[in-house]
Amino acid sequence: MAALILTGTVVILFLADMLTKSYVEKHVKENEERRILKDKVIVRKVYNEGMALSVLGKHPKLVAKISLATGVASSIYFGWLLEKKGRLIEKFAMVFILGGGFSNIYDRLFKKKVTDYISFPCKRWKKFERLTFNLGDFFLFAGAILAIFASVIKCGKNK
């Protein structure tokens, strides 16, 4: 039952980002900016053919292949992990990593670019304000933090 709930959560996270991307695609013009939540968040539609921070942006086919391989490997690991007792933090880390990762992989494979739409105002560092993310990116980040946390706990128990 826990495996079904965790897998279902992956699907929910994937759909949350995909539905938000779909809304942005239909209702926000490219490079248009809308400030929301009392100007704390900027919504804009930009495309990224590369990985994080447009790394390998000139090689979208390579990025798609790397992303797909990583997604397959992560899915296999998740399946293996689901069979293990305990390790709840690791399992939730993988839920976030897969939910966010699948959304971006889908974009790379079927749209040839990832749609990003969330930014934050930053008067002090204007370059930071140009960085634009999507929910999938935040899910990936949360999963990475949880994975690090799980690793630290595991290391602490081994001493």
Side-chain angles (χ1 to χ4, degrees):
M1 183 62 141
L4 184 61
I5 291 169
L6 291 168
T7 304
T9 305
V10 170
V11 173
I12 290 168
L13 296 178
F14 167 80
L15 290 174
D17 190 35
M18 293 303 296
L19 291 171
T20 308
K21 285 177 182 176
S22 178
Y23 178 86
V24 169
E25 288 284 347
K26 290 176 185 165
H27 296 95
V28 179
K29 294 177 184 150
E30 193 168 355
N31 294 316
E32 171 189 0
E33 290 191 0
R34 297 180 187 177
R35 293 185 180 248
I36 61 171
L37 301 176
K38 297 183 180 178
D39 291 340
K40 301 279 189 231
V41 176
I42 301 169
V43 175
R44 72 165 71 94
K45 178 172 61 177
V46 297
Y47 298 105
N48 182 359
E49 293 182 348
M51 297 175 135
L53 304 175
S54 297
V55 171
L56 295 174
K58 298 199 187 287
H59 306 282
K61 288 182 181 178
L62 176 61
V63 170
K65 288 177 184 176
I66 291 169
S67 298
L68 183 58
T70 303
V72 168
S74 297
S75 297
I76 292 168
Y77 177 71
F78 183 59
W80 174 83
L81 190 60
L82 287 176
E83 297 297 317
K84 303 293 177 189
K85 289 201 182 278
R87 300 173 81 162
L88 198 57
I89 296 172
E90 249 181 292
K91 289 175 183 174
F92 272 106
M94 291 308 299
V95 163
F96 281 100
I97 288 168
L98 290 174
F102 285 159
S103 171
N104 288 338
I105 291 168
Y106 179 90
D107 276 4
R108 287 189 182 105
L109 293 178
F110 296 103
K111 297 180 187 175
K112 309 299 183 217
K113 58 191 172 194
V114 173
T115 303
D116 291 324
Y117 49 85
I118 300 170
S119 186
F120 301 97
C122 187
K123 291 178 182 170
R124 183 177 282 173
W125 299 294
K126 277 297 185 186
K127 286 185 180 183
F128 179 79
E129 189 171 303
R130 298 304 319 154
L131 296 176
T132 310
F133 308 92
N134 59 50
L135 280 178
D137 297 333
F138 293 115
F139 297 153
L140 284 162
F141 182 74
I145 295 297
L146 283 173
I148 291 167
F149 184 66
S151 180
V152 167
I153 289 173
K154 189 188 283 186
C155 285
K157 286 180 181 178
N158 290 337
K159 289 186 176 185

